[in-house]
Amino acid sequence: MKLIGPITQLLTLDSLPKKGALRDEHLEILTNAGIAIEDGKILEIGDYADLLEKAEKLNAKVIQLEGDFVALPGWIDCHTHICFGGSRAKDFTMRNAGKSYLEIAEAGGGIWDTVTQTRKLNQDELAERTISHAARHLNEGVTTIEVKSGYGLTVEEELKMLRAIQQANSNTHADLIPTCLAAHMKSRDFDGTNQEYLDSIATELFPILKSENLSNRIDSFIEKSAFSPVEIESYYQKAKELGFDLTAHADQFTTGGSEVAVRMNAKSADHLEASTEIEIALLAKSDTVAVALPGASLGLGCAFTPGRKILDQGGSLAIASDWNPGSAPMGDLLTQASILATFEKLSTAEVFSALTFRAAAALDLDDRGKLKEGLLADFNLFPTSDYREILYQQGKLKPEQVWKNGIKT
Ligand code: NIG
Ligand code: FE
């Protein structure tokens, strides 16, 4: 056993519901608390003096903190594209000059540009880049990071990406959760229809994902410029039959995606900037987690996901960075969540839940996201005496200590 404390405020996030609006009065806050760790997991959380007594009897290691700290579960970023090559600074300048998505794509920008840059890198080079992005995220308190493929778009290139993500996962302290996004767009060099492209991915790639244990999650981009709801529904059906979890890029510019996601029982529907009352009501009634991606709204200058309405109607809201070279290059999850909170009028309890256990639910992980006995000892220590300072400082107050699996990173 190892004991860490005393901690001025420890927010367990325990006993908060999976869905619906939350007020800060719902937060369980332990003062002068300690965290006892064993084998990478939380052994006990409680009063520091009591735990210290136990630790001394057991001759356990005590890591005594000096000064004020607020403890929270490690952040979980349930939607990123941090495995990529190149930069899309050109898209940024074109967007700000008023060019449309289509004009940018025609000028050689957009997702296809990143596909071209990513294909130029070998697996080791891609793994290196992913590791460096993950290291930055971990340093800012993100202990679990979902990472999508989707810049390969052939069976071999998608496999290269997912193998690179697997390689990166073995070389970072953060947990990387891989997702197959071969349905990001139809590869330009694929000779056939959208349906034929999706069929070939399902037939050729899905079995290898299983046999090499490369990913257990299938994502898609349901949008006019990518795949239609009908095309994705039959793709998802095949994925489901093989036991994959589903997630979707839905309602980013036009609606239709979230409806398929809910109907197919996807773990999450992400983006939702264009969702109307109809989609919000559907999501709120479902078990599909709505994932807001404020980084993409900031990157593209678009509306924010209607998080307030989703929560008020009883839905579950997670917040993720969408860190990618095109729409969301910033990758600062806490800053983005703080900004979303201001615009969407989210309580601190709602934001902290969206960055922890509700994001864990989007990834179907039940071993993390709260500070509770038996869960992974993944937590952040912020140098402040008041938890409200964290969002108030809009992401500038970073954790001083980040613990992953009971180890200070
Ligand atoms: O989540 N919307 C589609 N995919 C990404 C953007 C990827 C890219 O532009 O490279 C997103 O915003
Ligand atoms: Fe995305």
Side-chain angles (χ1 to χ4, degrees):
M1 166 178 151
K2 189 157 66 182
L3 174 65
I4 295 132
I7 296 162
T8 320
Q9 291 185 332
L10 183 150
L11 279 67
T12 63
L13 306 191
D14 200 9
S15 62
L16 292 174
K18 279 187 185 164
K19 296 176 68 178
L22 299 168
R23 291 206 313 273
D24 290 351
E25 300 87 88
H26 295 143
L27 290 166
E28 179 183 44
I29 303 172
L30 310 185
T31 52
N32 290 314
I35 305 179
I37 298 172
E38 197 162 68
D39 297 331
K41 295 201 174 125
I42 298 171
L43 182 66
E44 199 175 340
I45 296 230
D47 180 69
Y48 180 70
D50 292 349
L51 288 172
L52 187 60
E53 218 174 284
K54 282 191 195 172
E56 279 166 354
K57 271 193 201 132
L58 293 168
N59 224 350
K61 185 171 176 194
V62 177
I63 296 148
Q64 199 168 348
L65 300 171
E66 303 291 337
D68 284 313
F69 284 99
V70 168
L72 277 158
W75 304 138
I76 296 171
D77 191 348
C78 64
H79 181 141
T80 86
H81 308 249
I82 58 168
C83 179
F84 63 84
S87 156
R88 301 251 292 281
K90 188 174 71 183
D91 288 20
F92 167 77
T93 53
M94 285 184 76
R95 258 197 315 274
N96 290 357
K99 300 284 183 231
S100 70
Y101 185 88
L102 230 78
E103 286 169 322
I104 293 171
E106 273 160 13
I111 294 170
W112 187 253
D113 185 14
T114 302
V115 172
T116 310
Q117 301 302 323
T118 303
R119 285 182 179 178
K120 282 183 191 155
L121 302 178
N122 64 33
Q123 185 186 317
D124 287 347
E125 291 167 327
L126 264 179
E128 264 322 300
R129 278 168 203 243
T130 310
I131 291 165
S132 94
H133 292 140
R136 204 189 95 187
H137 236 18
L138 184 64
N139 193 39
E140 297 183 351
V142 188
T143 46
T144 299
I145 311 168
E146 186 261 13
V147 188
K148 299 177 193 300
S149 65
Y151 294 127
L153 308 186
T154 63
V155 170
E156 272 319 308
E157 291 293 331
E158 285 291 308
L159 283 173
K160 182 182 78 184
M161 285 194 75
L162 288 160
R163 288 175 184 139
I165 296 165
Q166 191 175 62
Q167 186 177 333
N169 187 40
S170 311
N171 289 284
T172 169
H173 291 297
D175 283 334
L176 306 187
I177 310 292
T179 301
C180 174
L181 179 57
H184 204 179
M185 63 181 272
K186 185 184 78 176
S187 178
R188 285 207 185 154
D189 46 23
F190 182 84
D191 188 18
T193 62
N194 271 4
Q195 198 64 66
E196 286 163 346
Y197 172 74
L198 293 175
D199 287 349
S200 74
I201 294 293
T203 316
E204 295 166 40
L205 183 59
F206 285 2
I208 309 177
L209 300 183
K210 286 279 170 197
S211 64
E212 282 192 37
N213 204 12
L214 285 171
S215 172
N216 169 36
R217 296 165 41 83
I218 300 297
D219 196 354
S220 71
F221 186 19
I222 308 172
E223 193 53 61
K224 290 219 161 76
S225 58
F227 298 100
S228 74
V230 174
E231 287 161 349
I232 290 304
E233 183 149 353
S234 65
Y235 180 67
Y236 277 180
Q237 200 61 54
K238 294 185 184 116
K240 245 183 147 166
E241 279 159 19
L242 291 173
F244 287 101
D245 282 345
L246 307 176
T247 176
H249 284 69
D251 302 358
Q252 185 181 13
F253 305 112
T254 57
T255 55
S258 60
E259 205 225 310
V260 178
V262 168
R263 187 143 28 89
M264 298 301 287
N265 221 346
K267 296 294 171 199
S268 76
D270 307 24
H271 275 295
L272 311 172
E273 295 90 333
S275 298
T276 70
E277 298 297 336
I278 300 168
E279 289 77 29
I280 293 169
L282 276 177
L283 283 160
K285 266 191 260 134
S286 74
D287 287 328
T288 300
V289 178
V291 180
L293 304 170
S297 302
L298 292 168
L300 299 176
C302 294
F304 287 108
T305 303
R308 180 72 270 140
K309 286 187 177 171
I310 291 166
L311 288 165
D312 284 345
Q313 293 199 28
S316 177
L317 183 78
I319 303 172
S321 73
D322 198 17
W323 191 353
N324 74 71
S327 58
M330 179 211 281
D332 186 330
L333 180 60
L334 186 55
T335 299
Q336 294 166 357
S338 306
I339 292 169
L340 182 72
T342 304
F343 280 89
E344 279 294 307
K345 306 285 177 248
L346 305 179
S347 70
T348 303
E350 287 167 338
V351 174
F352 287 170
S353 301
L355 295 173
T356 56
F357 68 94
R358 287 178 172 178
L363 298 175
D364 202 32
L365 299 171
D366 56 10
D367 60 351
R368 64 195 77 189
K370 295 187 172 190
L371 295 181
K372 192 177 168 181
E373 188 189 316
L375 297 193
L376 296 182
D378 294 359
F379 57 93
N380 291 323
L381 296 175
F382 288 88
T384 175
S385 61
D386 180 349
Y387 74 90
R388 295 172 306 181
E389 288 286 332
I390 297 169
L391 297 182
Y392 165 66
Q393 296 198 25
Q394 297 185 298
K396 274 296 186 190
L397 184 69
K398 301 290 185 205
E400 191 173 301
Q401 295 188 21
V402 179
W403 289 72
K404 175 72 189 115
N405 295 334
I407 292 166
K408 192 174 149 203
T409 59

